[in-house]
Each structure stands twice: as structure tokens, then as C-alpha cells.
């Protein structure tokens, strides 16, 4: 081989090396983009889930954010059925509404149940491990789901949501692109399932703490009502007897005894109001409704603002859980207080309504309104209302402007 041939060979080798380096560089850049996107996804999920006031809000954010990641076009959450723990039922769903092909899927899937081991979510529910499939049609047949039109999806991914190794939900996502199984993505989804599980666990603990706090408050309320209030009443009777004896003796101390009786009555009224505030809302067929009616009635007696209450006509509104009813009551009370104190309203209306599977509590006023975005962080009352809504798994929305006043709406899925 002459010198020219050797030079050409070296040039060819160098070009091959350059092409290999370019390919390796592109691969590294792709990995950097993928890992940066995965880290951003996990950060977004952790931040938003921690700020969510309810488990439902956290789940909806995860569905939406994961769909944005890697181009998943549809995602939904399945929870173990309360009546059949070995079955999964659809609890929530997210997809681009412009892609109408998912409308039928949404309608069919939301009414379906999957047994443990059945279909991709059922297998994840059984194994506790993320899974990936590229044969959607076969999987749909295993689920016994029939559709009037093609979904146009080819790939699916599912992963578990874990609380102390217990599967509390399965999230599944579909793509209309042919995507081969990717272990790094599966690892990311497993981390997201763990993050979401921690949020669910925290919300559960918050609810347990709220229930324990409510029970202790109720005990204190009963103690004030049954003991302290009765003792004040007994003292009042004794002082009244003393006043009568002093009056018969024409003693100037009779007037002082009358003053003491008046102070005891004021204290007794204050103790009665305080004990009522500490008691849980009594739960019967119309417990929450009665409590709101009394709140409006009490407000009318002490304030000139017109306040009214409206509830669904006909069948009584039932709230079975005392903690839920009590938190709804205090949300209404706080919203009413804000309207009276800050809005300078002439009319306030409290509404309690049931619409299909939703319970909705709304407090509206015709006051001056407020800038919700600017004052949200500074309003302790609003933070308390949002916390109470989060404890019971409800969502709270505050709308306000100078023309129409303010409306606080708390919505709870039944």
C-alpha cells in the first residue's frame, strides 16, 4: 500500500470516527434532554402535589402533567372499589377534548371494572410494578371493552400508586405513537407513583388528625355546656336568692347582687355560644341544613345585613360523616364572616345543593369584591377555608369583582 492509499484510508477512518462521535454526541444530548425533562416532571409533580388541597386535585395534576411528558394523549386513574377491593374502577380521567375519539372511551371506561390481573391496569394492580405494552387491541379484548370507533392509540403505560407497599391506585396512559418499552421512563413513573402515594398518605393522616381534633373539641364543648354552664346557672340562682334577702332587708347591696346576676347571665350566654362552636354538627337527615339555618338566624339577630339560606327542595341533603359536615359548616361560617366584615354587602346568600354526584356549598354577597390574586396569600380566613376543604377532599373556588361581589364555592364529590 503506497503512501497515498494509506492517507486515504486514514481519512476514511477519521471520517468514520467523526460520524461515530457525532452519533454519540446526539445520543448524549438526547439523554440529557430526556433526563432533564424527567427531573422537571418529578419536580413539578412533587411541588404541585404538595400544594394540592385534596387528593383529587393532586391526581388530576399528575394525569395532566404526565400526558404532557413524552406526548401521552390520554391518562386516567383507577382506584380499588370500596365494595370489591380486588376490582379497579375509574376515578378520574384526562385527555385533550379536541381529540373526540376519546369521548367514547371515556364513557365506556368510566363504567367498567377490572379484576385483579385483568388487562394492563389489573396486572399492575396484581404485581405492584410499572408495565408497558404495545398491543392495545389485545389488551382491550382482555378487558372486554368494545368501542364504536378506533382509538388510534398503540402504546400504553401503567404504574402503581403505593402507600406503605399497599396499592391505592393505578394510573394508565395511552399514546398514539409506537413507543418501545423504555426502562428510564418506567423508573420515572414509579417515582411519581411513590410521590403521589405520600401525598395520599399525608391527606389521610390530616383527615384522621382533623377527626381527632373535632372529637376533642366536642368533648370540651360538652364539658362547657354540661358542667360550666350549669354551674353558672346554679350560681345565678344562689345570687338571686341572696338578692331577694338583701332586698327584703332594704340593703343597698341588693343592687350589687343584681349586677352580679346580670354578669353571670352574660357569661352563661358566652359559654353557650362557645360550646356550640366547639360541638360537631349533629348528623341526622338534615343536620348540616339545620346548622346553616341556625347560623343564618343568629346572624339576622345581630346584624342589619340581609342574609338568607337556600337548600335543595324536596329530599333532605344528607351528609353522613360528622367531620365533613362540620368542616362544611365552618367554611360557610368563615365565608359569611368575611362577607360581613370586609365586603360591606347589603345581601348575603348561602346555598347548599346536590347535583348528581356533587354536593355544592356556596356563599355569595353583593359587596365591593376583592382582588383574590393579590390578597390570597394574606387572607388567613381563605387559607383556613382551603385547608378545611382539603381535609374533606373538596375543592374551593373564590370568585370576586367589584360589580358582582364575591362567591365562595366548595364542591365535594359524594
Amino acid at each position: 500500500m503506497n503512501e497515498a492509499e494509506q492517507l486515504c484510508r486514514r481519512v476514511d477512518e477519521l471520517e468514520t470516527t467523526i460520524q461515530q462521535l457525532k452519533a454519540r454526541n446526539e445520543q448524549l444530548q438526547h439523554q440529557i434532554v430526556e433526563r432533564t425533562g424527567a427531573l422537571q416532571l418529578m419536580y413539578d409533580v412533587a411541588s404541585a402535589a404538595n400544594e394540592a388541597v385534596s387528593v383529587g386535585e393532586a391526581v388530576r395534576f399528575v394525569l395532566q402533567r404526565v400526558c404532557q411528558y413524552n406526548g401521552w394523549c390520554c391518562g386516567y386513574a383507577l382506584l380499588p372499589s370500596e365494595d370489591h377491593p380486588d376490582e379497579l374502577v375509574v376515578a378520574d380521567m384526562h385527555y385533550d377534548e379536541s381529540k373526540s375519539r376519546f369521548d367514547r372511551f371515556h364513557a365506556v371506561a368510566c363504567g367498567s371494572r377490572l379484576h385483579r390481573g385483568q388487562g394492563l391496569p389489573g396486572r399492575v394492580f396484581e404485581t405492584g410494578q410499572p408495565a408497558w405494552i404495545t398491543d392495545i387491541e389485545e389488551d382491550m379484548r382482555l378487558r372486554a371493552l368494545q368501542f364504536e370507533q378506533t382509538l388510534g392509540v398503540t402504546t400504553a403505560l401503567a404504574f402503581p400508586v403505593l402507600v406503605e407497599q399497599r396499592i391505592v391506585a393505578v394510573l394508565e396512559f395511552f399514546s398514539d405513537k409506537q413507543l418501545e418499552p423504555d426502562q428510564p421512563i418506567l423508573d420515572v413513573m414509579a417515582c411519581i407513583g411513590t410521590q403521589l402515594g405520600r401525598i395520599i398518605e399525608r391527606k389521610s393522616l390530616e383527615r384522621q388528625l382533623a377527626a381527632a381534633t373535632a372529637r376533642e373539641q366536642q368533648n370540651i364543648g360538652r364539658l362547657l355546656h354540661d358542667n360550666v354552664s350549669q354551674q353558672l346557672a346554679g350560681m345565678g340562682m344562689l345570687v338571686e336568692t341572696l338578692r331577694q334577702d338583701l332586698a327584703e332587708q332594704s340593703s343597698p347591696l341588693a343592687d350589687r347582687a343584681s349586677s352580679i346576676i346580670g354578669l353571670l347571665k352574660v357569661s352563661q350566654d358566652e359559654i353557650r355560644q362557645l360550646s356550640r362552636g366547639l360541638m360537631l354538627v349533629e348528623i341526622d337527615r338534615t343536620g348540616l341544613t339545620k346548622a346553616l339555618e341556625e347560623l343564618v338566624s343568629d346572624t339576622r339577630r345581630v346584624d342589619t345585613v340581609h342574609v338568607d339560606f337556600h337548600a335543595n327542595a324536596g329530599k333532605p341533603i344528607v351528609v353522613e360523616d360528622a367531620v365533613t359536615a362540620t368542616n362544611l359548616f365552618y367554611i360557610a361560617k368563615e365565608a359569611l364572616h368575611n362577607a360581613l366584615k370586609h365586603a360591606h354587602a347589603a345581601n348575603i346568600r348561602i346555598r347548599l345543593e346536590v347535583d348528581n354526584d356533587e354536593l355544592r356549598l356556596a356563599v355569595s354577597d353583593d359587596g365591593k369584591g376583592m382582588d383574590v390574586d393579590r390578597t390570597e396569600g394574606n387572607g388567613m380566613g381563605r387559607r383556613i377555608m382551603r385547608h378545611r376543604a382539603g381535609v374533606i377532599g373538596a375543592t374551593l373556588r373564590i370568585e370576586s369583582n367589584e360589580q358582582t361581589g364575591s362567591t365562595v364555592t366548595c364542591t365535594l364529590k359524594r
Side-chain angles (χ1 to χ4, degrees):
M1 182 182 297
N2 57 36
E3 186 175 345
E5 290 175 339
Q6 291 179 351
L7 181 61
C8 288
R9 181 177 179 180
R10 289 181 178 177
V11 169
D12 290 341
E13 291 175 348
L14 181 60
E15 288 180 349
T16 301
T17 301
I18 291 173
Q19 292 299 322
Q20 291 175 345
L21 288 173
K22 284 184 177 180
R24 179 58 178 165
N25 183 58
E26 290 176 357
Q27 184 180 11
L28 288 173
Q29 288 181 343
H30 177 73
Q31 289 178 352
I32 290 172
V33 171
E34 284 290 321
R35 294 189 179 184
T36 301
L39 289 172
Q40 185 64 49
L41 171 65
M42 288 189 289
Y43 173 80
D44 290 346
V45 167
S47 298
N50 278 310
E51 294 173 0
V53 298
S54 68
V55 171
E57 183 178 319
V59 169
R60 284 189 290 274
F61 177 83
V62 171
L63 290 175
Q64 181 179 4
R65 185 64 181 85
V66 173
C67 280
Q68 294 172 353
Y69 176 74
N70 212 36
W72 303 102
C73 54
C74 174
Y76 67 107
L78 303 98
L79 302 180
S81 170
E82 292 184 0
D83 51 348
H84 295 90
D86 282 338
E87 292 182 344
L88 292 172
V89 294
V90 176
D92 212 332
M93 190 169 186
H94 172 80
Y95 65 99
D96 186 349
E97 293 183 359
S98 65
K99 298 177 180 178
S100 58
R101 68 179 186 272
F102 288 109
D103 292 344
R104 174 62 179 163
F105 174 69
H106 176 73
V108 173
C110 285
S112 65
R113 289 173 176 254
L114 292 178
H115 297 285
R116 189 183 295 273
Q118 182 184 11
L120 178 60
R123 292 195 296 276
V124 171
F125 189 37
E126 185 175 44
T127 64
Q129 297 296 321
W132 188 304
I133 61 171
T134 54
D135 188 353
I136 295 294
E137 291 186 4
E138 175 62 22
D139 194 70
M140 290 300 168
R141 282 194 292 272
L142 290 173
R143 301 189 204 189
L145 294 180
Q146 302 294 328
F147 298 95
E148 296 173 355
Q149 59 187 39
T150 179
L151 292 174
V153 294
T154 58
T155 304
L157 162 70
F159 60 89
V161 178
L162 299 173
V163 174
E164 296 182 347
Q165 303 305 313
R166 178 171 56 89
I167 300 175
V168 297
V170 174
L171 270 59
E172 184 177 29
F173 296 87
F174 296 102
S175 176
D176 50 11
K177 301 175 183 177
Q178 187 70 38
L179 302 174
E180 293 303 317
D182 189 321
Q183 189 59 46
I185 291 180
L186 287 173
D187 293 341
V188 169
M189 296 304 157
C191 290
I192 290 174
T194 300
Q195 288 178 334
L196 189 55
R198 288 171 180 164
I199 298 302
I200 293 173
E201 183 179 23
R202 191 190 75 196
K203 294 298 182 183
S204 176
L205 291 173
E206 285 180 357
R207 185 173 179 83
Q208 293 176 33
L209 178 60
T213 301
R215 287 194 298 271
E216 188 61 29
Q217 286 181 341
Q218 187 169 30
N219 290 334
I220 295 172
R222 286 199 180 112
L223 178 64
L224 290 172
H225 181 272
D226 297 341
N227 293 354
V228 179
S229 182
Q230 297 303 318
Q231 290 173 5
L232 288 174
M235 291 171 60
M237 294 174 64
L238 290 174
V239 177
E240 173 61 23
T241 301
L242 176 62
R243 185 198 66 78
Q244 292 175 5
D245 291 342
L246 291 171
E248 290 177 0
Q249 299 173 15
S250 300
S251 172
L253 296 177
D255 291 339
R256 292 190 182 181
S258 295
S259 299
I260 294 173
I261 292 172
L263 291 173
L264 288 172
K265 287 182 177 179
V266 170
S267 297
Q268 193 174 8
D269 288 340
E270 291 177 349
I271 290 293
R272 187 180 297 111
Q273 291 294 326
L274 181 59
S275 65
R276 286 179 60 187
L278 291 171
M279 300 287 278
L280 288 172
V281 174
E282 294 183 4
I283 298 302
D284 55 18
R285 297 296 295 175
T286 56
L288 179 58
T289 301
K290 287 181 179 178
L292 292 173
E293 288 173 344
E294 290 179 5
L295 175 64
V296 169
S297 179
D298 291 343
T299 304
R300 287 172 178 167
R301 284 197 295 268
V302 299
D303 204 289
T304 58
V305 175
H306 179 262
V307 184
D308 67 6
F309 172 68
H310 170 79
N312 276 101
K315 188 176 180 180
I317 295 176
V318 179
V319 180
E320 301 290 349
D321 181 57
V323 173
T324 298
T326 299
N327 278 285
L328 287 171
F329 172 77
Y330 281 115
I331 288 171
K333 188 174 183 179
E334 184 63 38
L336 177 61
H337 170 76
N338 287 343
L340 292 170
K341 184 177 179 181
H342 303 295
H344 303 295
N347 298 280
I348 303 173
R349 189 177 200 191
I350 301 176
R351 302 190 309 277
L352 183 65
E353 302 168 334
V354 173
D355 183 14
N356 294 326
D357 61 343
E358 286 187 346
L359 174 67
R360 186 165 51 253
L361 170 70
V363 181
S364 305
D365 67 70
D366 59 358
K368 64 179 183 179
M370 59 184 174
D371 189 334
V372 176
D373 293 331
R374 292 183 60 185
T375 61
E376 185 68 25
N378 299 322
M380 178 61 72
R382 288 187 291 282
R383 290 203 296 272
I384 291 173
M385 286 190 292
R386 291 195 183 280
H387 174 74
R388 288 188 178 278
V391 166
I392 60 177
T395 58
L396 191 82
R397 187 176 72 255
I398 302 176
E399 301 171 296
S400 182
N401 62 65
E402 295 181 358
Q403 288 72 39
T404 61
S406 302
T407 299
V408 176
T409 306
C410 182
T411 305
L412 175 68
K413 287 188 178 295
R414 299 173 64 108

